[in-house]
Amino acid sequence: MKAIIIDDQSHIRENLKLVLREFTPEVEVVAEADGVRSGLECLKENPADLVFLDIEMADGTGFDLLNLIKKRTFRVIFVTGHEGYAIRAFRVAAIDYLLKPVDPDDLVEAVAKAKNQKPIEDFQVEEAMLAQKEEKVRQLVLSDAENVYRVQVEEIIRCQSEDNYTRFFLSDGRKLLISKTLKEFAELLEKSGFFRCHQSHLINLAYFDHLDKRDGGTIFLKDGSTVPLATRKKDQLLQALREA
């Protein structure tokens, strides 16, 4: 895989190249840049499969750079020293979000995800989806090994954790397996009418039907499916239903 590193700190770029060379020999760094403007020129001149992109740079952010690209033909892995941009990164369909200094195991996992996912060719970032002040998420861009989906939040009935993946159950019967954790989606959707009722389950309260309080608690959804309710979550669920 041909890769480009865009970061305004030269020592970070050098360190990332060393780690890539040692742990992911299948990745060849073909170019590097130190900001938004230089990164844009670099991407125009060097076709790449993968871009390791910093977020906060001297002349703008990694999101600014993505907004300048009309057709994205590469996968994006954010590499940053700031934790607060994770939700925003998922909204622009990043493969992964790595914190500096990069952990080699996390890097290997991120590269493996990139190899199994097609690039998003015609997806343009929408400003409404990027607005940090926006509380409710209306749609998600979800990617599995072969496809990229744009899913409206109201289509999502529930989500279920499967190790480091999340299974989405949609109202039209589709089941999508996405290579991100349930925790990440729970944080993203918590203000959009979703409730994490159990360590492994996230539900859309719009599909809540009733709660059977026996045996610890079982939630019945309008599509006929059932999910467990963690005992400590009972009062939180009742409060969420009142506020929904």
Side-chain angles (χ1 to χ4, degrees):
M1 298 177 70
K2 295 184 183 299
I4 293 174
I5 299 174
I6 303 175
D7 193 299
D8 62 350
Q9 295 179 293
S10 60
H11 70 279
I12 295 292
R13 300 196 303 271
E14 290 301 319
N15 182 67
L16 184 54
K17 284 191 289 185
L18 289 174
V19 178
L20 286 167
R21 190 177 302 123
E22 181 175 356
F23 293 95
T24 58
E26 67 272 32
V27 176
E28 177 191 3
V29 178
V30 296
E32 57 185 273
D34 62 1
V36 173
R37 284 170 290 187
S38 61
L40 186 61
E41 291 304 314
C42 185
L43 288 167
K44 289 178 180 178
E45 297 172 2
N46 301 277
D49 305 300
L50 183 60
V51 173
F52 294 93
L53 182 59
D54 191 14
I55 293 183
E56 293 189 359
M57 296 179 283
D59 64 344
T61 70
F63 301 112
D64 296 331
L65 174 58
L66 294 180
N67 270 334
L68 294 172
I69 297 170
K70 294 182 179 180
K71 186 175 183 180
R72 195 194 308 180
T73 58
F74 52 84
R75 306 158 184 86
V76 176
I77 294 176
F78 283 108
V79 182
T80 177
H82 304 275
E83 295 184 358
Y85 291 105
I87 290 177
R88 201 173 179 188
F90 294 133
R91 288 179 180 174
V92 296
I95 294 286
D96 216 328
Y97 182 90
L98 306 180
L99 291 174
K100 302 174 183 176
V102 174
D103 181 277
D105 291 337
D106 292 340
L107 180 64
V108 170
E109 182 180 340
V111 169
K113 289 180 186 177
K115 286 192 292 187
N116 293 323
Q117 181 173 308
K118 292 182 178 180
I120 300 174
E121 295 184 352
D122 294 310
F123 173 66
Q124 284 188 287
V125 178
E126 297 180 21
E127 288 297 330
M129 294 176 67
L130 293 179
Q132 288 180 303
K133 293 182 180 179
E134 181 187 34
E135 293 189 350
K136 293 186 177 181
V137 178
R138 295 182 178 85
Q139 57 185 344
L140 296 177
V141 176
L142 303 174
S143 303
D144 61 18
E146 298 181 350
N147 301 290
V148 177
Y149 307 90
R150 180 168 295 204
V151 175
Q152 301 300 313
V153 164
E154 59 264 27
E155 297 179 77
I156 304 169
I157 298 173
R158 63 186 179 95
C159 303
Q160 181 173 327
S161 174
E162 296 188 14
D163 295 322
N164 289 324
Y165 292 78
T166 298
R167 177 81 65 181
F168 277 73
F169 294 82
L170 305 184
S171 57
D172 61 4
R174 287 182 295 166
K175 300 175 183 179
L176 309 180
L177 185 63
I178 308 301
S179 59
K180 287 182 172 58
T181 65
L182 183 66
K183 178 183 178 182
E184 293 163 342
F185 287 115
E187 292 174 352
L188 183 62
L189 294 168
E190 63 181 358
K191 293 183 180 179
S192 299
F194 283 72
F195 180 76
R196 191 168 185 180
C197 58
H198 185 276
Q199 182 178 0
S200 300
H201 298 276
L202 176 71
I203 63 169
N204 185 343
L205 291 174
Y207 289 92
F208 177 89
D209 187 80
H210 70 278
L211 171 66
D212 185 334
K213 294 185 288 185
R214 294 172 296 178
D215 299 324
T218 301
I219 295 173
F220 287 75
L221 300 176
K222 292 179 180 178
D223 68 331
S225 62
T226 61
V227 295
L229 174 66
T231 303
R232 61 184 178 84
K233 293 278 191 175
K234 179 181 176 182
D235 290 341
Q236 295 176 39
L237 172 62
L238 296 177
Q239 183 64 31
L241 289 170
R242 293 189 194 102
E243 297 174 354

